[in-house]
Amino acid sequence: MPTPARSRLIRGSLALAVTSGALLLPATSAQAADTATVSILHAVPGATVDVYANGEELLSDFEPGTLTDPQQLPAGTYDLKVVAAGDGADGDAVAELDDAEVPAGANVTVVAHLNASGDPRLTAYANDTSGLDAGQARLIVRHDAAAPAVDVRANEEVAFSGLENPDEDSADLDAGTISADVVLAGESDPVIGPADVDLKEGMTTIVYAWGSAEDDNLDLAVQTISGMGGNPGGVPGGSGGQAAMSSPLALGAFGLGLVGLVLAGTRMAARTRTARV
Amino acid sequence: MTLGTARRGGWLWPAVLVVSALLLAVAGHQLFAPRSVAADVPVSTTVEDPAGTPSATPSPSASSSPTARASGPRWTTRPAAPRPAPEVVPPERLVARSVGLDLPVVAEGVDDRGQMALPERPTELGWYRFGPTPADRRGAVVLAGHVDSERYGAGPLERAAGLEKGDRIEVRDRAGRTTTYAVVAVQRIRKADFSPDDVFSRSGKPVLRLITCGGPYEPGRGGYQDNLVVTAKRR
């Protein structure tokens, strides 16, 4: 029974997925053209679960706070269902997401998490894997915690403000390590962190806020996606031209030669004249 | 006595004349010939890749199967808690004895024009800090420097053009470990042919790329027209 806000988000995510899939298509191989890259994050505290896709078991005994490595799945539409471990395909759903669109070439993370009021949800996020400039890293933050709107801070400065469950925000930044923490929107006492997050050059680093404020188990989860990096356009290895000019020495030698030539010439001319007289 | 003086005078000035003419010719050539660095190094259009094309190794991983059904792949999981950045040990010094190069190395990134940033002094080398380190098993360690600078004049990197196939280059890192390379190619590459993804390669066999500027110096066309690229493989 999705709330209007939630169904709007899912549609939003799917639209995003389609967009990024289209962007990716020209760059991906023939194989990738009919598959998508899918990762699954378990961010519901306290429940070990099994995940089903279209009635088939995708993975079992999935622990909270763990992330799958990315898998290539055939592009298409998936009905996703999370049940308590061992309950089987027909077990009571902890969370469900029907008709999740996984477009060819897209990179998708499916997150099992709590909504703002603490109920388990599944959200499919499309990951932005567009190219980065040399030296840059992409940071994506996602609010998947049972908590009100938050600010995400980098090195104690607000980087993303007023983020609500289950929204995301992103920025391309200089690569490097940041100290990340999460505060309730407008406040300054961290409710999560600070934790050092390594923003690697050429990679997308996704930071998830998850858990429950009420149960005092808020935490950060991190996913990284590589392969977006660029390289410097060139090496500007010289500016002066002096190495090509071969120094004041050549200029001095040239002058010396000129003086010597003139001097010797006049002397010898003079001598010839003297000899003649 | 007067005869001796006269005789000395007799060969002195012609000698001065000859030496002066020679000086004039040599210096004049240096000054007025097209200005160029590493002019003897042949021009290439692609950077040397000692790895060549790696032989295709069959990968048994499940992800290689395009027909994998949803239930097919084996999903592996890992804790998603933030992990500390792996420690990076940067190179600190480059020594190429055969051409008398012994230069300090500093970490550099990208300048505001999207080019590799370089130390201002031509007596220092920059290491591209987003690429591999000498300890990494794959990809190109890129060390680059200015061949000269308006402020500091000509630098020692001009001598890199004198490196020959097989010459040793040693790179010492901050942990005191020395990695030894053997030169496999000395190339001049037109800046228009510069292929960043090959030069700054992140995969393939571990190589060292020592880069500076070379070729004709044309102030009206952005200075040096080529890059001098020395590629060396790990010994």
Side-chain angles (χ1 to χ4, degrees), chain A residues 31 56 58 65-69 71 74 135 201 221-222 231-244 246 250 254 257 260, chain B residues 20 24 27 30 63 68-71 73-78 80 85 114 116 128 130 146-149 196-197 200 202 213 217 224 227:
Chain A
Q31 179 198 323
E56 289 185 83
L58 211 56
T66 62
L67 171 74
T68 69
D69 288 323
Q71 289 284 354
E201 188 256 0
V222 175
N231 284 307
V235 179
S239 55
Q242 289 87 350
S246 61
F254 189 78
Chain B
S20 299
L24 213 58
Q30 292 264 16
S63 64
R69 292 184 310 135
S71 58
R74 279 183 62 86
W75 293 77
T76 50
T77 60
R78 63 175 72 195
M116 178 178 166
Y128 187 60
F130 300 121
H146 285 302
V147 70
D148 56 25
S149 107
D197 293 343
F200 291 90
R202 313 290 176 97
C213 270
Y217 182 77
Y224 290 101
N227 277 118

Side-chain angles (χ1 to χ4, degrees), chain A residues 250-268:
Chain A
L251 204 65
F254 189 78
L256 202 68
L258 210 62
V259 168
L261 205 66
V262 169
L263 209 64
T266 47
R267 274 310 180 94
M268 284 167 74

Side-chain angles (χ1 to χ4, degrees), chain A residues 13-14 16-18 20 106-109 124-128 140 142 168:
Chain A
S13 303
L14 297 183
L16 257 172
V18 171
S20 77
N107 188 310
V108 174
T109 304
Y125 294 95
N127 301 317
D128 180 0
I140 299 177
R142 291 172 180 164
E168 64 177 335

Side-chain angles (χ1 to χ4, degrees), chain A residues 25-37:
Chain A
L25 273 179
T28 48
S29 67
Q31 179 198 323
D34 48 11
T35 65
T37 306

Side-chain angles (χ1 to χ4, degrees), chain B residues 124-137:
Chain B
E124 286 181 356
L125 281 170
W127 162 60
Y128 187 60
R129 65 187 174 93
F130 300 121
T133 70
D136 285 325
R137 289 180 182 176

